[in-house]
């Protein structure tokens, strides 16, 4: 059976107080799913310290494709690893659209993450225009396969996040989400059929306490990547508990 997983993506939100608050709110319960928190980078060390004796894991929101050198402002994957991260998001749609990360950059970040010993959480998803033009599968295929050219499928999670559902309150229907997840698993199987069955596939895009269970109940959906609702303790706790056992 695949490991279920719920990842909190705080984006550019939160502070030390939220780190403390969320750890106490979440650590008191135990979940079937692995639960990962990705705070802004300055809070990673504090989060790592607070989560040491808990089942919560820590992840980065982004890493450099470079390992070291004169790259002002960058953070390498091995630095994330050193401060206790086990995961890092790669190719989030906000990185792609607001910071001009193309498929090539995403692919090199993914390799850098895996080489540092992190599990890369590759995010893929179509825009509304692309969905309406019937291009969902071709966009997802292109993003997925281009990112995985030199990837290690043992250290991989894939998050399907339709861009039109991120932060908008519009969620893909469970059927729409399952259809794409099934296709992603089929595409992964063309690379390694056995491993494709083991890779956790997450859905992201306006997941809330009241829609999580029906989305997570879908066969190829193994958990979620949660933005807005991960900043609210009761919401996020309910989402973590909604994962199938
Ligand atoms: P959202 O964000 O849950 O606020 O839609 C999801 C994400 O961007 O990962």
């Amino acid at each position: 059976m695949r490991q279920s997983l719920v990842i909190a993506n705080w984006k550019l939100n939160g502070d030390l107080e939220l780190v403390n608050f969320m750890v106490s709110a979440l650590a008191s319960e135990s979940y079937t799913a692995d639960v990962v928190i990705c705070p802004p980078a300055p809070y990673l060390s504090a989060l790592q310290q607070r989560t040491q004796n808990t089942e919560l894991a820590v992840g980065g929101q982004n890493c450099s494709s470079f390992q070291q050198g004169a790259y002002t402002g960058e953070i390498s994957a091995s630095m994330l690893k050193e401060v206790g991260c086990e995961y890092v998001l790669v190719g989030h749609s906000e990185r792609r659209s607001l910071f001009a990360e193309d498929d090539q950059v995403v692919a090199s970040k993914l390799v850098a993450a895996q080489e540092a010993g992190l599990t890369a959480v590759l995010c893929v998803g179509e825009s509304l225009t692309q969905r309406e033009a019937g291009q969902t599968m071709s966009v997802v295929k292109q993003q997925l396969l281009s990112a995985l050219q030199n990837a290690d499928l043992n250290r991989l999670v894939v998050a399907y996040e339709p861009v039109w559902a991120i932060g908008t309150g519009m969620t893909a229907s469970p059927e729409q989400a399952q259809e794409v997840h099934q296709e992603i698993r089929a595409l992964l199987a063309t690379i390694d059929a056995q491993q494709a069955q083991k890779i956790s596939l997450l859905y992201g895009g306006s997941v809330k306490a009241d829609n999580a269970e029906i989305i997570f109940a879908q066969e190829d959906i193994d958990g979620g990547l949660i933005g807005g609702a991960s900043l609210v303790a009761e919401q996020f706790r309910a989402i973590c508990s909604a994962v199938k056992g």
Side-chain angles (χ1 to χ4, degrees), residues 175-244:
E175 297 74 25
Q176 280 175 325
Q178 165 59 20
E179 189 186 16
V180 181
H181 279 73
Q182 192 176 7
E183 177 68 11
I184 290 173
R185 203 176 298 289
L187 288 165
L188 292 170
T190 63
I191 307 173
D192 183 335
Q194 236 180 345
Q195 192 56 30
Q197 296 309 317
K198 299 186 190 152
I199 296 175
S200 297
L201 303 186
L202 312 183
Y203 171 79
S206 297
V207 177
K208 305 276 182 259
D210 59 7
N211 60 21
E213 195 168 342
I214 182 155
I215 294 173
F216 297 164
Q218 303 302 306
E219 189 179 340
D220 286 292
I221 303 183
D222 307 305
L225 177 54
I226 319 300
S230 74
L231 298 165
V232 184
E234 312 83 75
Q235 280 278 328
F236 191 61
R237 264 209 308 236
I239 292 169
C240 293
S241 303
V243 160
K244 54 185 176 257

Side-chain angles (χ1 to χ4, degrees), residues 115-187:
E115 280 179 350
L118 298 170
T119 294
V121 181
L122 171 65
C123 306
V124 298
E126 82 289 0
S127 67
L128 187 58
T129 322
Q130 289 165 333
R131 174 161 282 267
E132 285 172 352
Q135 294 166 349
T136 299
M137 295 305 184
S138 61
V139 169
V140 167
K141 181 178 181 184
Q142 163 66 24
Q143 290 177 344
L144 186 78
L145 297 185
S146 63
L148 296 183
Q149 274 167 31
N150 298 304
D152 172 1
L153 297 197
N154 291 298
R155 289 184 188 282
L156 180 71
V157 168
V158 179
Y160 167 58
E161 299 202 300
V163 178
W164 49 272
I166 296 177
T168 59
M170 279 167 68
T171 322
S173 70
E175 297 74 25
Q176 280 175 325
Q178 165 59 20
E179 189 186 16
V180 181
H181 279 73
Q182 192 176 7
E183 177 68 11
I184 290 173
R185 203 176 298 289
L187 288 165

